Amino acid sequence: MRLRALEKMCDQQLARGHRDSALAAGLAAVACDPLRESAHRRLALIHMSEGNLAEALRQYHLYRELARSELGLPPSSQFRRLVAPLLGTACRTGPPEWASGRPAG
């Protein structure tokens, strides 16, 4: 429940434009469960909304390596679509979520 509450708080704070509070909630969620991809996606989204594209990519790569080493899994297609414009790869399913201004799910 704590993780869901932190993620909801992150989304609400980002929607209100309170990026510092959103970042704090996202970081707390990642600290609680480092393998929770949705928390990492939220952090990447916050960085993208601030124009910190290198930081968003760093967050993606950090999660990608963690998921690979701990679980043997790649990031979800949702996370890959989110950062596709930053990686220079084509996004066949339309614009990334951050382009709409909505928090990532």
Side-chain angles (χ1 to χ4, degrees):
M1 281 192 341
R2 182 170 191 245
L3 283 169
R4 289 188 188 272
L6 286 167
E7 287 183 341
K8 186 170 182 81
M9 182 188 315
C10 183
D11 292 344
Q12 291 170 342
Q13 293 302 309
L14 184 58
R16 292 181 182 132
H18 302 148
R19 291 186 179 108
D20 290 341
S21 298
L23 185 61
L27 289 170
V30 167
C32 285
D33 186 354
L35 292 173
R36 190 169 176 93
E37 181 181 310
S38 54
H40 286 273
R41 277 197 319 266
R42 282 170 170 84
L43 288 176
L45 181 66
I46 293 164
H47 294 310
M48 292 168 83
S49 75
E50 294 177 322
N52 294 326
L53 305 183
E55 194 66 20
L57 274 178
R58 186 196 66 76
Q59 192 68 45
Y60 171 76
H61 289 300
L62 180 120
Y63 176 76
R64 185 187 68 187
E65 290 306 311
L66 184 63
R68 183 192 56 76
S69 67
E70 295 291 322
L71 305 172
L73 297 171
S76 69
S77 60
Q78 185 178 7
F79 205 170
R80 291 191 310 266
R81 279 193 312 270
L82 178 68
V83 298
L86 305 180
L87 295 170
T89 56
C91 182
R92 294 179 225 164
T93 59
E97 291 180 31
W98 61 268
S100 69
R102 292 175 308 185

